[in-house]
Amino acid sequence: MDRILIKGGRPLHGEIPIRGAKNAALPLMTAGLLTDERLVLSNVPLLADLHTMGELLAQHGVAMEPGDGGRTLSIGGRITNTLAPYDIVRKMRASILVLGPLLARCREAKVSLPGGCAIGARPVDLHLKGLEQMGAEIRLEGGYVHAAVPQGLRGADIVFPFVSVGATENLLMAATLAQGRSVLANAAREPEITDLADCLVAMGARIEGIGTDQLVVEGVASLHGAAHPIVPDRIETGTYACAAGIAGGAVTLLGARLDHMAALAVALAEAGVEVSETAGGLLVRRLNGLHGTDMKTEPYPGFPTDMQAQFMSLMSVAEGAAMITETIFENRFMHAPELNRMGARINVHGSSAIVRGVRALQGAPVMATDLRASVSLVLAGLAAQGETIVNRVYHLDRGYESVERKLGACGAEIERI
Ligand code: UD1
């Protein structure tokens, strides 16, 4: 099994290209189920999760053709099968996003329940309740969601009791082909949702309120093909910004957008890491020392939960203390004990962690059980004295394209073994 070996202590200098966002690409791919015509996505990241989604689409009869060395994906074909089997869904929770489009197109679907994952229970009740409000009959049996809507979906007023990215995406896609008008209130407004909505509009959907927490959708009879560039990955951007912060130096993140990471940029500035716009992207520089900075995760535009682990690594070598509070997922501090094995001083109490900065971390063999936790250990390795070996690299490959090549090109001593 692949591992990543890092010899820490080298500052980063250079350029890192930022690709399209994984969390935008996955729902966009499922939007390909909403039409028989071709949906052509560009700025596609080369990630294991997209491969898994391709397998799932193929299972439904919809083919995915890569072009331009994998940088474009052309998705199209008639849906021949509405079953999303456990063997594929269990690999990736975002598979549940086929449910809304399948119901809208085929009036029935059988989709495996994704189940829990390393970072928490992560139920899909909001997805199912919303579809029921749109007229679907839903039964859970044998670990599967059996959904049917013989008369077709109809528009509904849906108020989310709390913000869910996935539920907003699933119901937004379903609403585009429902009869009549849907209102999604307290909707998530992550840039990936705006990206999906923009693509749906390009496919002929009628959506108002894009970018706000209230989406109004006027259903249409059918959608057509379109071409859509995937929004740059704000989490990949933030991860490499933290890399420059923890290792020191100055890195240009090509194609990155500051407006999608405002809360993170504020926290980084307080911590002593400057992020500024340049012609082609963002320049990230560590100014002098790092300072302990408190942070709390929140739905967008707040500080993203997907950046919490990386920020914790940064804080582990800052001067002073930082209180980090996780409000989105109940079990998202698995990186803390691993960082402590590298010499960090982190105490977790419920949903908060106190990070007391240490002068230096020490390299160690480490592993993590989710994507962002894994990359936080790579960042810690960049700053640690000696060798760090990060195990279970397949987590990294789900969401980061050639992390070792991108960091290596900026002077890090890092290799895949
Ligand atoms: C998406 C992202 C993930 C990110 C998360 C929060 C993708 C593919 N994944 O995940 O990287 O960490 O947003 O920004 O885009 N919940 C329920 N019932 C539901 C749905 C969600 O209780 O029906 C809970 C979840 O357990 C969690 C919270 O709501 O505690 C937010 O989850 P949600 O925004 O839905 O996350 P995902 O869409 O799964």
Side-chain angles (χ1 to χ4, degrees), residues 23 122-127 162 164-166 305-306 328-329 332:
N23 287 353
R122 294 180 91 175
V124 291
D125 52 327
L126 300 188
H127 302 237
F162 52 88
S164 162
V165 172
T305 174
D306 285 351
I328 311 287
F329 293 109
R332 210 173 192 182

Side-chain angles (χ1 to χ4, degrees), residues 93-225:
R93 287 184 46 84
S95 308
I96 192 71
L97 295 177
V98 299
L99 181 58
L102 287 176
L103 263 186
R105 286 300 301 292
C106 308
R107 301 189 172 190
E108 54 140 47
K110 184 177 163 189
V111 177
S112 170
L113 276 166
C117 71
I119 62 175
R122 294 180 91 175
V124 291
D125 52 327
L126 300 188
H127 302 237
L128 304 186
K129 273 183 203 146
L131 291 169
E132 278 176 339
Q133 276 185 266
M134 297 174 83
E137 287 160 23
I138 290 179
R139 157 171 88 73
L140 302 182
E141 207 178 284
Y144 277 79
V145 178
H146 298 249
V149 60
Q151 310 303 319
L153 292 169
R154 45 173 202 273
D157 282 0
I158 293 162
V159 183
F160 294 107
F162 52 88
V163 175
S164 162
V165 172
T168 302
E169 291 165 344
N170 228 340
L171 297 174
L172 174 63
M173 287 190 279
T176 59
L177 291 178
Q179 292 162 40
R181 181 185 160 104
S182 296
V183 179
L184 307 184
N186 197 24
R189 48 193 166 132
E190 269 65 3
E192 295 76 25
I193 289 176
T194 300
D195 203 39
L196 173 64
D198 286 343
C199 176
L200 293 170
V201 168
M203 294 169 73
R206 292 177 55 197
I207 306 171
E208 278 172 24
I210 295 174
T212 75
D213 64 358
Q214 177 150 312
L215 296 166
V216 181
V217 187
E218 209 62 65
V220 294
S222 65
L223 296 180
H224 50 73

Side-chain angles (χ1 to χ4, degrees), residues 21 189-195 198 230-235 237-238 255-265 277 282 300-304 307:
R189 48 193 166 132
E190 269 65 3
E192 295 76 25
I193 289 176
T194 300
D195 203 39
D198 286 343
I230 303 170
V231 69
D233 196 322
R234 66 198 165 98
I235 307 300
T237 304
R257 285 178 62 162
L258 187 56
D259 57 332
H260 287 171
M261 53 172 283
L264 173 62
E277 283 180 298
L282 299 177
Y300 190 82
F303 191 105
M307 280 304 305

